[in-house]
Amino acid sequence: MSERTAPARVVPAVARRDFLRLAGATAAGFFALGAVSDRVRIVASLTALSLDDELTRRSMTEAATTRLGGLIAGLRQRGWVEGVNFRLELRSSFGGPDKLKSAIQEIIDLKPDVILTGSTGETAAVLAVTKTIPIVFATSNDPVGYGFVQSLAHPGGNVTGFTSSTPEMGAKWLQLIKEAVPDIARVGVLFNPATTPRAGRYYLDSLEQEAVTSRVEVVLVPVGKPAEIEGAISRFAEPPKAAMISLVDSFLVVNRQAIIAATAKYRVPMIYPFHYFMDAGGLMSYGPTLEVRSADYVDLILRGTKAGDLPVQSPRKYELLINRTVARTLGLTIPFTLLARADEIRE
Amino acid sequence: MNDQVDQGYLRTPPGRLFRKYLYSIVALAFAALAINTGFDVWFSYREQKQLLAATQREQAASAAIQIGQFIGQIENQIRWLSRLPPELSTNEDDRLNAIRLLRLSPAIAEIAEVDAQGREQVRVSRRIADRIGSKADLSGSPAFRGANDSRAYYGPVYFFGDTEPFMTLAARGNGPAPNVLIAEVNLRFIWDLVAGIRVGNTGKAYVVDRMGVLIAHPDLWPALQRSDLSAHADVRAALDGVGPPSGGLVKEDLSGQRVLSTYATVPSLGWLVFVELPLSEAYAPIYASIGRSTFLLVILLAGAILVSLFLSRRMTVPIQMLTQGAKRIGSGDLGLRLAIKTGDELEALGDQFNRMAAHLRDSYATLERKVVERTSELEKARDHALAEHDAAERARSIAVQANETKSRFLAVVSHELRTPLNGVMGVLQLLDDGNLSDAQRRHLATAAASGETLIALVDAILEYARLEASTEALETRDFRLDRLIETAADLMRPQAFGKGLTFDLACEATAGTSVHGDPVRLNRILLNLIGNAIKFTPRGGIGLTASAELFDDHVLLHITIRDTGIGIAPDMHERIFEDFVQADDSIARRFGGTGLGLAIARRLTRLMHGELTVASTPGAGSTFTLEVPLGRGQSGLAQAAIAPPSRRLGVLLVDDDPVNREVGEAILNRLGHRPTLAGNGASAVALARDHAFDVILMDLHMPDMDGVEAASRISKLDLPKMPRIIAVTADVSASARERLARAGIAKIVSKPILIGALREAIEGAPDEPAAAQLAAGALIDRHFLDEQKDLLGPPQIAKLHHLLQETSDRLIADIANAAAIGDHKQLVRSAHQLGSAASALGLVRLFERCREVEVAAASTSTSECQSAARDLAALQKASMSALDDLLSPLEQRSVN
């Protein structure tokens, strides 16, 4: 349903035009902002991704393909021009708990006006440090369960944000991968207990229930390090026929290339919760559509709205993406029910 | 002055009319434009507001329809699904259909197919795993029941996951055992719809459900908070079914901005779609319209001012030209032509003006010609009249001259007649030597009576002639009125008694006063009237009543003389006062007389500004009434009764002139003092040394010793009581006074001596000498002479007359001699003596001339002295002759 553009183009080719646009937008920003243009605001973003991951790359085009690009574009629409009246400070927690700690400290030292966090773990870490700086998470699956917010409608405190998949999605992923590969006897569930909600139990309840209904054995595949990934996946290459499910887990997103490479190498069909995996060459993904409007909330917060007054937004759209080329490589025939359901079929 | 006023009136300030027109037109245009614009703006404002509200209502209605369609479309889709015959497909096909439907409608989150018994057959969801043939019992669910009841079911809005508004929709299929399709619809998809509704630029639309809970809002997050808006007044009212106000509602929205709000209801769902537009934007077109109207008004006003300027100028310029024209015509420039070319009434007016000016010009020309003609006629008439007047004047002067000639003739004749008559009368008196027979004596008596009548006649004619010649002048002085009347009565009473008549005199007390008038003339009138009464009354009597009315400054004398005589016919009442008229000829024959008596009496009365009238009945008698105004007498004194002085004084009178000495002595005696006389300065000094005097009256000009020298000698005598020295002189100049003051003489009495002035000087009355009041040009001061006559009595006057005659003759001779030999000193002395003597009897001209000669003698040549001497001689002769005339009757009487 939503269109995917090609990965961001080479920057120098459009630098001049972008600069001119930026200048125009800067002037427009001055007019649009009015009363709040007196001080350069600081928007800090903490991500689990490595800073050279393409998802952390800032999109200099209007069409935002990444969350960061969407944020910058959205803020510009609302009169916030980077380098003119706000400054975006990007920090990465990539590299372990120490790195996370130092990144958070750096951000706190900047005295930012708002902090964007990427996942539940980072949100919890930042919240442990500040109860005053507004925090916008995107995404956290169980903010109420983790005690970030009092309720989704009225979060209270200094936190708000966006949720991702609900617990029932575990069963859904299983149903969908079994439809794609009907003859499976077991299913491997890949996750990092440290970075997935409730160490995976968040989704596993519904998944295991569905596995009983559909007479499939569930094999939990917890991984803690990227190096463990390939070995974990390779175990599902041998019979009995198996497929895999990737849970919502920032660790998996960070290491998506390694996962995709391993599944291709070992010819293991896997379903993913995000389209990022499809971009890296995955078989199929099902999950909420990226409708994260961080720019809305950042704008409101920069203009004085309390983060706790803004409701936590839940996803409303779900999309099914299928790569038929990958399916053919794996020797799979996608049934009608899946094709009828698919929002996008890549060749 | 009229011209100035007119010009002032015409000088209207330039441009006043212009300004008046200008202001009027501008005001009118402005008022019209302002009212028009005002109404326009007002109605446009109202219309725009209505339009705005209508538009907004339309938008709300449109939004409501869209939302209704959104839901309706979903309903149609599930209905379509429900109507698929159950036997047509397996469950798997049902699932595929449901998946297709989910693909078609993103808002449907989950869809379940339930058979007619309420058993779930298929459930397809986006979030959870699909279930096929679960046969779960849903027959008790409100959706199943609702759909079975009314084929379609709209559940209430509920929030899934705390934030997501959801609604359950159910539809029932056809056939005997229809399936029921139950769909869970995520209402967040309405957000796309709501966000897409454009309300102006900044307005927004939002949706609340039947409970007042916010379902959709363009800002998204308010809807996620389950905001309950039912507490808002407008939402409450809308939920209660109150329709939106036609003009829209102005309120504050969630962010506190003032907005124009209206709403519409979504059909079948009962939801409310509110549409709000910020007032700043909503009214912007209205304000812009007002701004445009104001701008237009200003432009039009500027235009109106320009047009007004043009119009006012067009109206006022011709009027100003007319005004200028009128002004120039008013100032006499009739040749002016006004060139007003406006092609309207003003041009017609200008033409009329030009015609009027032309007409005026013609009229003026005619008028001027007529004036010239009439002037020349008048000049001729005037010349003629002047000629006639001159002729009349000449005739009149000839007549006057003739009359005067007649009068002189009469006077001369009368005078000449008297002389022989006197002789005749004298001879007649001599004829009766006692030896005459009765007849002779009777003849003689007749002759004597005729002679007397003749004399009286001549006297009357003489007096009348003098009156006629207007030579008679009143000689006024103070006198006692009653005394004069009594004297006249006493004089005439014997005559009345002689004729056997009674004579009654009634003199009222008011007549007992002193008056100022001419007693001689008044006496003559009285004697005349009484004489007439006696003459014309054969029997009976005469009655005389006299009274006086006293006023502040004059006395009005009333005298009536009543008789029982023959009377006068009414037609003769006035004629008897004419000259030479008697009642009739027979009367003249019976009573004789000249007929001039009453004429003289009336003329004298009129001379005194009085009136003489008569009332008479023939046979019963006549009454003559005399009314004469007289001046009030001074201090009520008559000269005849001078009050005695407070003290009898010894007075030494020093004068070298015997006449003056005589007069002075008489006056002093009369005043009750003791006079002693001295003829020169030396004897005066001697007398003053030997006798005590209270007063010395010193003549200043004396031959042996000057009065001033004598006075200084007397003052050096060292007398025990220094007498007061009073100078007697005619020289009252400032230098003379100074000289006298140096000699210790403070008082001066002027010559000729007047009794009042002397008395005042002696008895210490006011210092100023009485000014001599002399009739200019008269030879003799008759008033003074009369006073002297009264004072000294006729014999004394006669004596003085003779003495003056002798002295003056001698002095004239001396003067002639002195002038001939050039003896100035003698001339001066003789002239002084002559003047002094002349002044004693009031010969004023002679006195003045003597003084002139005396003063000028020292500096005049011999020939001039001689001519002066001749003048003096002539003047002395004329003056003495006049004095003779005045005194001769008196002397005759005294001789007689």
Side-chain angles (χ1 to χ4, degrees), chain B residues 235-433:
Chain B
V235 176
R236 183 76 262 161
L239 291 173
D240 291 344
V242 180
S246 66
L249 175 76
V250 175
K251 63 159 200 172
E252 285 188 359
D253 70 357
L254 296 175
S255 61
Q257 200 176 13
R258 285 180 69 74
V259 293
L260 187 66
S261 167
T262 189
Y263 75 90
T265 309
V266 180
S268 73
L269 288 171
W271 297 348
L272 302 171
V273 180
F274 282 87
V275 171
E276 291 179 348
L277 185 62
L279 283 185
S280 55
E281 187 192 333
Y283 290 163
I286 298 179
Y287 296 145
S289 164
I290 291 174
R292 275 195 307 276
S293 297
T294 311
F295 178 71
L296 199 63
L297 176 67
V298 170
I299 295 287
L300 286 175
L301 192 63
I305 288 171
L306 288 178
V307 170
S308 307
L309 272 169
F310 175 69
L311 279 180
S312 305
R313 197 161 286 285
R314 278 207 60 173
M315 287 171 88
T316 48
V317 163
I319 291 172
Q320 277 169 353
M321 283 176 71
L322 281 171
T323 310
Q324 292 290 336
K327 200 183 275 180
R328 286 179 63 181
I329 287 173
S331 61
D333 183 4
L334 295 177
L336 181 76
R337 278 195 69 80
L338 299 178
I340 298 172
K341 295 289 170 214
T342 56
D344 54 15
E345 286 85 347
L346 284 169
E347 186 179 333
L349 182 60
D351 290 346
Q352 287 294 338
F353 214 81
N354 288 334
R355 274 201 286 283
M356 185 188 84
H359 198 72
L360 266 176
R361 200 165 54 240
D362 292 348
S363 301
Y364 267 114
T366 313
L367 197 64
E368 272 173 12
R369 201 177 60 246
K370 281 184 179 169
V371 165
V372 167
E373 285 171 6
R374 183 56 64 87
T375 306
S376 70
E377 281 173 17
L378 281 174
E379 274 173 357
K380 277 182 205 160
R382 189 198 62 197
D383 293 347
H384 190 67
L386 280 175
E388 281 182 345
H389 178 76
D390 285 352
E393 192 61 32
R394 272 197 303 279
R396 195 185 75 84
S397 66
I398 288 166
V400 167
Q401 274 179 349
N403 198 32
E404 280 172 1
T405 309
K406 177 199 82 182
S407 298
R408 265 203 312 281
F409 169 75
L410 278 172
V412 170
V413 165
S414 304
H415 196 72
E416 294 305 316
L417 283 173
R418 269 183 70 99
T419 317
L421 268 173
N422 278 338
V424 169
M425 288 304 290
V427 171
L428 282 176
Q429 285 166 24
L430 294 174
L431 278 176
D432 189 5
D433 57 355

Side-chain angles (χ1 to χ4, degrees), chain B residues 706-719:
Chain B
D706 185 83
V708 177
E709 194 188 336
S712 59
R713 282 196 189 181
I714 290 167
S715 59
K716 285 173 190 160
L717 286 176
D718 197 17
L719 296 170

Side-chain angles (χ1 to χ4, degrees), chain A residues 283-304:
Chain A
L283 173 64
M284 63 191 290
S285 75
Y286 186 71
T289 308
L290 186 74
E291 277 195 311
V292 175
R293 298 183 188 80
S294 307
D296 275 355
Y297 277 5
V298 170
D299 174 52
L300 286 167
I301 288 165
L302 290 181
R303 289 175 194 274

Side-chain angles (χ1 to χ4, degrees), chain A residues 117-133:
Chain A
T117 56
S119 65
T120 302
E122 288 149 6
T123 306
V126 175
L127 258 176
V129 179
T130 177
K131 296 286 182 196
T132 53
I133 299 173

